[in-house]
PDB file of all heavy atoms in Angstrom:
ATOM      1  N   GLN A  45      53.293  78.843 100.562  1.00  0.00           N
ATOM      2  CA  GLN A  45      53.477  77.641  99.758  1.00  0.00           C
ATOM      3  C   GLN A  45      54.223  77.984  98.483  1.00  0.00           C
ATOM      4  O   GLN A  45      53.912  78.965  97.815  1.00  0.00           O
ATOM      5  CB  GLN A  45      52.112  77.029  99.408  1.00  0.00           C
ATOM      6  CG  GLN A  45      52.222  75.713  98.639  1.00  0.00           C
ATOM      7  CD  GLN A  45      50.872  75.080  98.404  1.00  0.00           C
ATOM      8  OE1 GLN A  45      49.857  75.616  98.866  1.00  0.00           O
ATOM      9  NE2 GLN A  45      50.835  73.956  97.717  1.00  0.00           N
ATOM     10  N   GLN A  46      55.208  77.188  98.177  1.00  0.00           N
ATOM     11  CA  GLN A  46      55.996  77.413  96.963  1.00  0.00           C
ATOM     12  C   GLN A  46      55.135  77.183  95.725  1.00  0.00           C
ATOM     13  O   GLN A  46      54.391  76.204  95.660  1.00  0.00           O
ATOM     14  CB  GLN A  46      57.192  76.466  96.932  1.00  0.00           C
ATOM     15  CG  GLN A  46      58.083  76.634  95.702  1.00  0.00           C
ATOM     16  CD  GLN A  46      59.305  75.740  95.770  1.00  0.00           C
ATOM     17  OE1 GLN A  46      59.691  75.299  96.851  1.00  0.00           O
ATOM     18  NE2 GLN A  46      59.891  75.463  94.636  1.00  0.00           N
ATOM     19  N   PRO A  47      55.214  78.085  94.753  1.00  0.00           N
ATOM     20  CA  PRO A  47      54.409  77.899  93.528  1.00  0.00           C
ATOM     21  C   PRO A  47      54.787  76.601  92.832  1.00  0.00           C
ATOM     22  O   PRO A  47      55.956  76.212  92.827  1.00  0.00           O
ATOM     23  CB  PRO A  47      54.778  79.117  92.675  1.00  0.00           C
ATOM     24  CG  PRO A  47      55.338  80.112  93.629  1.00  0.00           C
ATOM     25  CD  PRO A  47      55.987  79.335  94.719  1.00  0.00           C
ATOM     26  N   PRO A  48      53.824  75.912  92.249  1.00  0.00           N
ATOM     27  CA  PRO A  48      54.143  74.671  91.529  1.00  0.00           C
ATOM     28  C   PRO A  48      54.907  74.973  90.248  1.00  0.00           C
ATOM     29  O   PRO A  48      54.793  76.061  89.662  1.00  0.00           O
ATOM     30  CB  PRO A  48      52.757  74.077  91.232  1.00  0.00           C
ATOM     31  CG  PRO A  48      51.843  75.272  91.204  1.00  0.00           C
ATOM     32  CD  PRO A  48      52.377  76.229  92.222  1.00  0.00           C
ATOM     33  N   ALA A  49      55.692  74.018  89.822  1.00  0.00           N
ATOM     34  CA  ALA A  49      56.456  74.170  88.588  1.00  0.00           C
ATOM     35  C   ALA A  49      55.521  74.135  87.391  1.00  0.00           C
ATOM     36  O   ALA A  49      54.478  73.475  87.409  1.00  0.00           O
ATOM     37  CB  ALA A  49      57.495  73.057  88.477  1.00  0.00           C
ATOM     38  N   ALA A  50      55.895  74.856  86.369  1.00  0.00           N
ATOM     39  CA  ALA A  50      55.113  74.852  85.136  1.00  0.00           C
ATOM     40  C   ALA A  50      55.301  73.511  84.425  1.00  0.00           C
ATOM     41  O   ALA A  50      56.280  72.800  84.678  1.00  0.00           O
ATOM     42  CB  ALA A  50      55.557  75.997  84.233  1.00  0.00           C
ATOM     43  N   PRO A  51      54.373  73.157  83.560  1.00  0.00           N
ATOM     44  CA  PRO A  51      54.528  71.885  82.827  1.00  0.00           C
ATOM     45  C   PRO A  51      55.815  71.877  82.022  1.00  0.00           C
ATOM     46  O   PRO A  51      56.225  72.901  81.449  1.00  0.00           O
ATOM     47  CB  PRO A  51      53.293  71.853  81.914  1.00  0.00           C
ATOM     48  CG  PRO A  51      52.312  72.784  82.555  1.00  0.00           C
ATOM     49  CD  PRO A  51      53.123  73.856  83.219  1.00  0.00           C
ATOM     50  N   ALA A  52      56.479  70.746  81.986  1.00  0.00           N
ATOM     51  CA  ALA A  52      57.726  70.617  81.241  1.00  0.00           C
ATOM     52  C   ALA A  52      57.440  70.650  79.743  1.00  0.00           C
ATOM     53  O   ALA A  52      56.493  70.020  79.260  1.00  0.00           O
ATOM     54  CB  ALA A  52      58.431  69.322  81.616  1.00  0.00           C
ATOM     55  N   HIS A  53      58.244  71.405  79.025  1.00  0.00           N
ATOM     56  CA  HIS A  53      58.094  71.461  77.574  1.00  0.00           C
ATOM     57  C   HIS A  53      58.728  70.216  76.951  1.00  0.00           C
ATOM     58  O   HIS A  53      59.771  69.746  77.417  1.00  0.00           O
ATOM     59  CB  HIS A  53      58.766  72.716  77.017  1.00  0.00           C
ATOM     60  CG  HIS A  53      58.113  73.987  77.452  1.00  0.00           C
ATOM     61  ND1 HIS A  53      56.924  74.446  76.939  1.00  0.00           N
ATOM     62  CD2 HIS A  53      58.486  74.906  78.381  1.00  0.00           C
ATOM     63  CE1 HIS A  53      56.598  75.581  77.513  1.00  0.00           C
ATOM     64  NE2 HIS A  53      57.537  75.884  78.394  1.00  0.00           N
ATOM     65  N   ALA A  54      58.115  69.720  75.936  1.00  0.00           N
ATOM     66  CA  ALA A  54      58.675  68.568  75.228  1.00  0.00           C
ATOM     67  C   ALA A  54      59.984  68.977  74.577  1.00  0.00           C
ATOM     68  O   ALA A  54      60.075  70.032  73.941  1.00  0.00           O
ATOM     69  CB  ALA A  54      57.685  68.070  74.186  1.00  0.00           C
ATOM     70  N   PHE A  55      61.012  68.158  74.756  1.00  0.00           N
ATOM     71  CA  PHE A  55      62.323  68.455  74.181  1.00  0.00           C
ATOM     72  C   PHE A  55      62.515  67.655  72.907  1.00  0.00           C
ATOM     73  O   PHE A  55      62.399  66.424  72.896  1.00  0.00           O
ATOM     74  CB  PHE A  55      63.437  68.132  75.169  1.00  0.00           C
ATOM     75  CG  PHE A  55      64.815  68.283  74.586  1.00  0.00           C
ATOM     76  CD1 PHE A  55      65.300  69.535  74.228  1.00  0.00           C
ATOM     77  CD2 PHE A  55      65.617  67.173  74.373  1.00  0.00           C
ATOM     78  CE1 PHE A  55      66.558  69.676  73.679  1.00  0.00           C
ATOM     79  CE2 PHE A  55      66.877  67.302  73.830  1.00  0.00           C
ATOM     80  CZ  PHE A  55      67.350  68.562  73.484  1.00  0.00           C
ATOM     81  N   SER A  56      62.797  68.364  71.847  1.00  0.00           N
ATOM     82  CA  SER A  56      63.078  67.714  70.576  1.00  0.00           C
ATOM     83  C   SER A  56      64.507  68.061  70.178  1.00  0.00           C
ATOM     84  O   SER A  56      64.779  69.189  69.771  1.00  0.00           O
ATOM     85  CB  SER A  56      62.098  68.195  69.497  1.00  0.00           C
ATOM     86  OG  SER A  56      62.405  67.614  68.253  1.00  0.00           O
ATOM     87  N   PRO A  57      65.439  67.140  70.331  1.00  0.00           N
ATOM     88  CA  PRO A  57      66.841  67.466  70.020  1.00  0.00           C
ATOM     89  C   PRO A  57      66.997  67.834  68.554  1.00  0.00           C
ATOM     90  O   PRO A  57      66.343  67.254  67.684  1.00  0.00           O
ATOM     91  CB  PRO A  57      67.587  66.165  70.358  1.00  0.00           C
ATOM     92  CG  PRO A  57      66.552  65.101  70.307  1.00  0.00           C
ATOM     93  CD  PRO A  57      65.271  65.741  70.738  1.00  0.00           C
TER      94      PRO A  57
END
Side-chain angles (χ1 to χ4, degrees):
Q45 184 176 357
Q46 180 176 339
H53 294 285
F55 174 67
S56 177

